[in-house]
Amino acid sequence: MGKDVIKDETPIIFLAMFWGGGGPYTISQVIHVYDWINRDIPSREDLEVAFNTLLSLDFISLKDDKFTIQRKIGNDFDEFRKKKRINKFKTARLYFEQYPLPTDIPNVISISQERYAEEYAKYSKAFES
């Protein structure tokens, strides 16, 4: 599609939240589900852009520092996913192509490098034993 389509990690972060049950998730839990489905760790910038984009599209909500996929969007994506029956990453990107990138994405959540390090440490601690 056109240049205004979301091309960053936003669809994959959304997909991770969806596959993990939709939330509510803390930042460290989003890092966990992203790693679970993508075998990678999202950067601080990717998380910040994704959360702000998803909030501006009203795909997720933020309450008490936790992110949750809106029920209507989750159901809509689930129907879309079942019809496509293709690779989950491609499906997520195709789903997002239906929505133009918002022209003005408010900075509702800002993740400092320090906070990202703390959230990453929480994620990493879950695997210590």
Side-chain angles (χ1 to χ4, degrees):
M1 271 196 138
K3 65 180 179 175
D4 295 333
V5 173
I6 297 168
K7 295 188 185 313
D8 58 29
E9 288 297 296
T10 299
I12 306 307
I13 290 171
F14 173 84
L15 178 67
M17 291 176 66
F18 175 82
W19 277 104
Y25 291 119
T26 61
I27 292 172
S28 64
Q29 292 168 326
V30 171
I31 293 170
H32 173 79
V33 295
Y34 183 92
D35 185 25
W36 175 57
I37 71 146
N38 201 34
R39 307 275 193 263
D40 197 8
I41 304 297
S43 71
R44 181 198 66 77
E45 295 84 3
D46 286 339
L47 286 170
E48 189 173 286
V49 168
F51 289 144
N52 285 309
T53 301
L54 292 168
L55 286 165
S56 72
L57 290 168
D58 205 26
F59 278 23
I60 63 172
S61 61
L62 173 62
K63 183 178 179 189
D64 300 326
D65 245 6
K66 294 184 178 178
F67 302 91
T68 305
I69 293 177
Q70 299 284 11
R71 182 177 301 249
K72 181 184 177 306
I73 294 297
N75 291 340
D76 187 53
F77 178 72
D78 195 35
E79 287 179 32
F80 182 85
R81 175 188 69 82
K82 287 175 182 174
K83 288 177 187 172
K84 290 296 177 189
R85 297 182 182 261
I86 56 175
N87 172 292
K88 63 187 169 204
F89 299 107
K90 189 172 188 175
T91 300
R93 296 211 185 274
L94 285 172
Y95 182 74
F96 274 78
E97 284 183 4
Q98 301 175 98
Y99 301 94
L101 182 64
T103 54
D104 185 29
I105 299 174
N107 195 24
V108 175
I109 180 165
S110 181
I111 304 171
S112 68
Q113 191 60 43
E114 181 181 12
R115 177 145 186 224
Y116 179 79
E118 290 170 3
E119 295 293 339
Y120 181 79
K122 288 179 195 174
Y123 157 73
S124 296
K125 188 173 180 151
F127 295 103
E128 289 179 2
S129 321

